[in-house]
């Protein structure tokens, strides 16, 4: 079966259900469209009303489209998809994708099924019990300076102008508080406490 465009009322144009990528319309998979117009709209609303971030929207739309294409190739209907099928799909993804990528695709499918359940399209979520690949990040991607390196950095900033003092104070605040820059910029003097203060 080929994916179909959503059946739209005459008052709504195709452009109104496009993803944030202006060149890619959201295509409703045949497995969803076969259930009816309400299911098709629920699918569209998952991406347009539920996901605000355009990058996440595109990534999740690709992940769900891939999953449903895989299901269609195996002759599955939406109601026939079981946890076994989702687990088999995830296993096949692990041969080609990294663990974080597979986890993201599983999250997209799982969230879509949850959305379909709350919209009374499906009674259960076949992806809920499926576990993704294990992925543990032991170190952050950002290197951390040692104490001597921090002191060298702070000493390298002159203290002759007001701007220099401001820069020095801001970098010292970031260094000792581990705050993000936005949080540090909003700090007040009373937010800072000497070490050991209760």
């Amino acid at each position: 079966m080929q994916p179909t465009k959503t059946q739209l009322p005459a008052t709504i144009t195709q452009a109104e259900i496009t993803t944030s990528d202006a060149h890619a319309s959201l295509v409703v998979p045949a497995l969803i469209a076969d259930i009816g117009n309400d299911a098709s709209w629920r699918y569209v609303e998952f991406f347009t009303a539920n996901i605000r971030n355009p990058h996440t929207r595109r990534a999740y739309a690709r992940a769900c489209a891939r999953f449903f294409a895989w299901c269609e190739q195996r002759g599955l209907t939406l109601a026939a998809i079981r946890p076994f099928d989702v687990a088999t799909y995830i296993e096949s993804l692990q041969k080609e994708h990294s663990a974080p990528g597979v986890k993201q695709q599983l999250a997209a499918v799982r969230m879509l099924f949850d959305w379909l359940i709350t919209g009374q399209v499906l009674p259960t979520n076949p992806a809920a019990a499926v576990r993704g690949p294990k992925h543990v990040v032991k170190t952050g991607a950002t290197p951390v300076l040692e104490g001597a390196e921090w002191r060298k950095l702070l000493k390298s900033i002159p203290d002759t102008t007001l701007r220099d003092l401001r820069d020095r104070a801001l970098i010292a605040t970031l260094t000792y508080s581990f705050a993000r820059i936005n949080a540090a910029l909003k700090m007040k003097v009373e937010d800072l406490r000497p070490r050991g203060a209760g």
Side-chain angles (χ1 to χ4, degrees), residues 12-43:
I12 297 179
T13 66
Q14 184 69 34
E16 288 177 304
I17 64 159
T18 58
T19 61
S20 60
D21 179 1
H23 303 293
S25 292
L26 185 60
V27 177
V28 176
L31 287 175
I32 304 285
D34 288 347
I35 294 178
N37 212 30
D38 289 344
S40 294
W41 274 111
R42 190 70 181 165
Y43 182 85

Side-chain angles (χ1 to χ4, degrees), residues 1-148:
M1 297 181 162
Q2 292 295 321
T4 60
K5 301 278 187 192
T6 308
Q7 300 292 324
L8 300 172
T11 57
I12 297 179
T13 66
Q14 184 69 34
E16 288 177 304
I17 64 159
T18 58
T19 61
S20 60
D21 179 1
H23 303 293
S25 292
L26 185 60
V27 177
V28 176
L31 287 175
I32 304 285
D34 288 347
I35 294 178
N37 212 30
D38 289 344
S40 294
W41 274 111
R42 190 70 181 165
Y43 182 85
V44 169
E45 289 167 351
F46 173 70
F47 299 102
T48 57
N50 186 46
I51 302 174
R52 296 278 32 103
N53 185 297
H55 302 294
T56 304
R57 183 181 296 155
R58 280 194 299 273
Y60 277 29
R62 280 192 304 269
C64 292
R66 249 186 236 126
F67 173 71
F68 286 118
W70 183 88
C71 291
E72 287 172 20
Q73 289 173 354
R74 281 147 188 79
L76 295 170
T77 63
L78 189 63
I81 298 172
R82 299 163 296 167
F84 170 81
D85 301 312
V86 179
T88 302
Y89 175 70
I90 294 303
E91 287 292 323
S92 71
L93 284 180
Q94 288 181 283
K95 295 174 186 171
E96 302 170 11
H97 299 279
S98 65
V102 174
K103 288 173 85 66
Q104 182 191 47
Q105 294 195 46
L106 176 59
V109 171
R110 189 179 286 147
M111 285 177 61
L112 173 63
F113 276 120
D114 282 341
W115 183 258
L116 293 175
I117 289 169
T118 59
Q120 300 178 350
V121 173
L122 287 174
T124 59
N125 183 343
V130 178
R131 294 187 62 183
K134 188 172 184 179
H135 177 69
V136 178
V137 178
K138 293 184 181 176
T139 59
T142 307
V144 177
L145 297 176
E146 298 293 328

Side-chain angles (χ1 to χ4, degrees), residues 110-186:
R110 189 179 286 147
M111 285 177 61
L112 173 63
F113 276 120
D114 282 341
W115 183 258
L116 293 175
I117 289 169
T118 59
Q120 300 178 350
V121 173
L122 287 174
T124 59
N125 183 343
V130 178
R131 294 187 62 183
K134 188 172 184 179
H135 177 69
V136 178
V137 178
K138 293 184 181 176
T139 59
T142 307
V144 177
L145 297 176
E146 298 293 328
E149 294 170 316
W150 279 117
R151 285 187 286 282
K152 185 177 178 182
L153 172 65
L154 289 173
K155 286 180 184 176
S156 72
I157 301 171
D159 58 1
T160 53
T161 68
L162 193 56
R163 180 185 291 176
D164 295 338
L165 292 171
R166 179 208 59 198
D167 291 348
R168 230 175 140 156
L170 181 58
I171 290 173
T173 301
L174 293 171
T175 302
Y176 295 112
S177 69
F178 295 102
R180 292 178 183 231
I181 187 68
N182 287 341
L185 292 173
K186 293 176 185 174

